[in-house]
Amino acid sequence: MAERLAVVSGGGTGIGKAIARELVDAGHRVVVIGRRSAVLAAAAEELGAGRVIPVTADLTDPAQVEAAAARIGQVGPVDVLVNNAGAVITRPADDSLGALADSWRHDLDTNLMTTVLLTTALLGQLRRPGGRLVMISSAAAQRGGAGPHSAGSYAAAKAAVHGWALGLARQLGPEGITVNVLAPGYIADTEIFGEQWTPEFHAGKVADTLVGRAGTPEDVAAAVGYLASPAAGYLTGQIIGLNGGAVLGR
Ligand code: NDP
């Protein structure tokens, strides 16, 4: 099979890096995108220099997304796009409506617009037929996410990805492109929780599951590996939970 090209946003760390590794192992060249050049360069070196192409961009900025898409266009048509970049946003600084609005806009930019902008910029470059689009959302979109870490905007931003992706599946299905959303539950050993992570937080998340453990980046990567594969051509327009049983039947 000819070498396939994949693009993984947020591919320099955590879940995204595990996805990039999975796709390299499955024979793809992989473009990894993020804001920190040094982090991307280190990931590219670790995963296989020459097979992994770092592209630095803030995906909330349309001009930087356009530049990234132009750079990817020089590499080749895109077989797989994994929209994985995202972050949990700190709660509003104070109780004012202004602070709430700033926090929500930041969250929507980071978790929704990164996905919308990159996908739209690459739409014309996706392989037809055979392209694979995977969005990484969150179990928070299915069960709510307000708590010590956010004011609910993270859950809302991820849920917005769901509705948008389902419409995209309708639009792109006739062109032979599948679109699916993977909604992970708690995945340990990534940068996302930062200083908000505590052993108590971890234990609570593990207790939520039926399998009694945290998820790993490799759990997510294995599922993406299937969704991205030529074998998954009949699977589209789905929201797929990956959460150790913390959310049932959705
Ligand atoms: P990480 O913080 O390790 O990864 C997030 C990645 O996104 C980083 O590589 C970061 O790179 C990149 N990123 C963030 N903002 C931008 C931006 N504006 N432009 C470009 N890249 C950006 O956390 P995870 O691996 O845990 O998270 C990956 C995805 O999985 C996220 O979408 C997250 O919401 C989701 N998720 C995670 C869960 C978990 O429990 N860990 C559970 C459910 C979903 P840089 O900072 O260099 O830009």
Side-chain angles (χ1 to χ4, degrees), residues 58-125:
D58 182 337
L59 296 174
T60 64
D61 177 350
Q64 293 189 42
V65 177
E66 276 171 359
R71 170 75 186 93
I72 293 163
Q74 294 166 352
V75 184
V78 175
D79 295 282
V80 178
L81 169 58
V82 184
N83 284 295
N84 161 81
V88 175
I89 307 299
T90 314
R91 286 179 73 83
D94 56 50
D95 289 340
S96 71
L97 270 188
L100 185 72
D102 287 346
S103 172
W104 270 73
R105 290 197 178 107
H106 184 199
D107 221 339
L108 290 165
D109 269 348
T110 302
N111 289 294
L112 172 64
M113 294 315 295
T114 50
T115 299
V116 172
L117 293 177
L118 183 62
T119 303
T120 305
L122 289 177
L123 220 47
Q125 296 171 221

Side-chain angles (χ1 to χ4, degrees), residues 9-17 33-37 39-40 57-61 83-88 109-111 114 136-140 154 158 182-193 201 205 215 217 220:
S9 72
T13 66
I15 293 170
K17 189 162 80 171
I33 309 178
R35 292 165 300 183
R36 292 168 294 169
S37 304
V39 167
L40 296 174
D58 182 337
L59 296 174
T60 64
D61 177 350
N83 284 295
N84 161 81
V88 175
D109 269 348
T110 302
N111 289 294
T114 50
I136 305 298
S137 75
S138 170
Y154 176 76
K158 294 293 194 184
L182 204 53
Y186 173 57
I187 308 295
D189 299 327
T190 79
E191 295 183 355
I192 200 162
F193 299 110
F201 172 80
K205 292 291 187 186
V220 183

Side-chain angles (χ1 to χ4, degrees), residues 21 24 46 111 113-114 125 132 171-172 180 225 235 243:
R21 180 180 284 113
V24 166
E46 180 186 331
N111 289 294
M113 294 315 295
T114 50
Q125 296 171 221
R132 301 274 180 266
Q171 179 189 331
L172 297 177
N180 291 289
L235 206 175
N243 51 49

